[in-house]
């Protein structure tokens, strides 16, 4: 972020500060006038781009995503494995979540993936619980069972153990089931168990935000 | 806690300190010798009693409950409404959770309570979503669907809105389904939405710990 904003302080005569509460980074612009701050902030947002900049002010990504869902009248369900409920907890942290959040399943065991989401057990055997195929089946299962417009799934290896050369600690597969079909992604998150879980949850929310712009 | 430990410092010649990270309270005993600290800590634990004192050292209540479950070879599922996944998140925060944690359902909407846990919709209509009856049905539904030994449910009003004179903000109904039947409790938690949710989650974990001593 600092590299992308190089030269901005001199250009506008402002002071730029950062506060990172991982995985969110807050960029603060201080200036002699509101107008100067506004112009520098707009340029900072333009340089970073709309994929990275999701809001201005106090709202974190969960609230921003909740606001986008509520504004569109869309409902969300979740199917969480490695994050163990963190996405749901983030989405229901602010009041008013019942306007868009229906519920979800935390399917830590493979049996739970089948019982709660209808994931085909042979799919788990063939592809592994941490795979694009299972992530897609979890998202589609959650969308159907919870009768939600969108369903986000996450399945990965939070660590510190359980990694393999093929599927190392930090690997997380995501899928988002929508009325227009299902998309999937995977990311390799660095860090401790807590960091992997938190980064995974925010990456899942970022996927919802990304897809909402296309729906 | 301070009242219960009155006079202990003088009696043993130790210094007692507290650190409250709500809803947990850490009691620290400092003394000139390990032996003195040990004796004062034992007396402090005896005065507070085993209902309140769940551990010594770094482990918080979620890890203590996880350890008790793992030691007994018992599995846990959750059915969360007002806590929105917080109990599951706390139980899966430490590595090794897959030894005892199966999964669970976050049923924020009434429809989700029926779809994911098989709660009879007429029960919700008759008793309300925040009731002992629905809490029991949620716990029993989760125990069956996730094939777990124990299932904890929580349904309440996290606030800040949604309260009524009968069912004020902060009211939370709990149930724990076990192989020996189902118990339920309710508590009226003070505080903000975040505090109600956190206190509710810990009260749920305390109910598991309480019942594990009887199983």
């Amino acid at each position: 972020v600092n590299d992308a904003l190089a030269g901005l302080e001199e250009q506008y005569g402002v002071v730029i500060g950062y506060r990172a509460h991982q995985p969110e980074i807050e960029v603060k612009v201080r200036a002699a006038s509101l107008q100067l701050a506004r112009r520098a902030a707009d340029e900072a947002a333009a340089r970073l781009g709309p994929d990275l900049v999701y809001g201005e002010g106090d709202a974190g990504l969960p609230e921003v995503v909740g606001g986008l869902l509520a504004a569109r009248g869309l409902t969300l369900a979740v199917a969480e494995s490695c994050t163990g409920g963190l996405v749901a907890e983030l989405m229901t942290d602010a009041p008013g979540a019942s306007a868009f959040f229906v519920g979800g399943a935390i399917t830590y065991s493979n049996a739970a993936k089948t019982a709660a989401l209808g994931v085909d057990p042979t799919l788990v055997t063939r592809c592994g619980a941490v795979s694009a195929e299972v992530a897609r089946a979890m998202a589609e299962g959650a969308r159907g069972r919870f009768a939600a417009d969108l369903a986000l799934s996450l399945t990965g290896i939070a660590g510190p153990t359980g990694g393999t050369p093929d599927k190392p600690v930090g690997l997380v597969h995501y899928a988002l089931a929508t009325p227009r079909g299902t998309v999937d992604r995977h990311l390799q998150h660095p860090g401790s168990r807590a960091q992997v879980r938190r980064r995974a949850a925010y990456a899942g929310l970022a996927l919802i935000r990304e897809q909402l712009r296309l729906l």
Side-chain angles (χ1 to χ4, degrees), chain A residues 25-41:
Chain A
I25 297 170
E26 192 180 316
V27 178
K28 209 168 243 175
V29 180
R30 283 187 299 157
S33 76
L34 188 61
Q35 198 188 11
L36 259 178
R38 180 73 271 159
R39 281 163 53 196

Side-chain angles (χ1 to χ4, degrees), chain A residues 22-67:
Chain A
Q22 287 276 5
E24 297 184 294
I25 297 170
E26 192 180 316
V27 178
K28 209 168 243 175
V29 180
R30 283 187 299 157
S33 76
L34 188 61
Q35 198 188 11
L36 259 178
R38 180 73 271 159
R39 281 163 53 196
D42 287 344
E43 162 122 15
R47 286 200 198 177
L48 292 165
D51 286 350
L52 292 181
V53 179
Y54 52 77
E56 193 176 290
D58 284 335
L61 185 56
E63 274 180 85
V64 167
V65 169

Side-chain angles (χ1 to χ4, degrees), chain A residues 129-143:
Chain A
V130 179
S131 62
E133 291 83 353
V134 168
R136 295 177 70 93
M138 287 170 65
E140 288 165 7
R143 184 168 180 268

Side-chain angles (χ1 to χ4, degrees), chain A residues 25-202:
Chain A
I25 297 170
E26 192 180 316
V27 178
K28 209 168 243 175
V29 180
R30 283 187 299 157
S33 76
L34 188 61
Q35 198 188 11
L36 259 178
R38 180 73 271 159
R39 281 163 53 196
D42 287 344
E43 162 122 15
R47 286 200 198 177
L48 292 165
D51 286 350
L52 292 181
V53 179
Y54 52 77
E56 193 176 290
D58 284 335
L61 185 56
E63 274 180 85
V64 167
V65 169
L68 291 171
L69 290 167
R72 302 276 290 272
L74 295 170
T75 57
L76 175 72
V78 296
E80 302 189 50
S81 186
C82 58
T83 44
L86 182 54
V87 176
E89 201 254 310
L90 289 168
M91 289 306 293
T92 59
D93 198 33
S98 53
F100 55 82
F101 189 73
V102 179
I106 302 153
T107 54
Y108 223 62
S109 71
N110 291 341
K113 290 179 181 67
T114 300
L117 297 170
V119 175
D120 179 355
T122 65
L123 194 69
V124 179
T125 312
R126 204 170 68 240
C127 305
V130 179
S131 62
E133 291 83 353
V134 168
R136 295 177 70 93
M138 287 170 65
E140 288 165 7
R143 184 168 180 268
R145 298 234 171 163
F146 288 91
D149 297 310
L150 308 176
L152 173 73
S153 73
L154 308 93
T155 177
I157 301 156
T161 60
T164 64
D166 262 15
K167 298 187 177 179
V169 167
L171 175 66
V172 180
H173 282 272
Y174 304 82
L176 186 72
T178 79
R180 292 177 53 178
T182 303
V183 295
D184 65 82
R185 298 275 189 283
H186 66 274
L187 286 168
Q188 175 63 48
H189 298 288
S192 68
R193 178 179 177 87
Q195 288 171 322
V196 168
R197 278 158 57 100
R198 201 169 152 80
R199 285 169 172 153
Y202 275 79

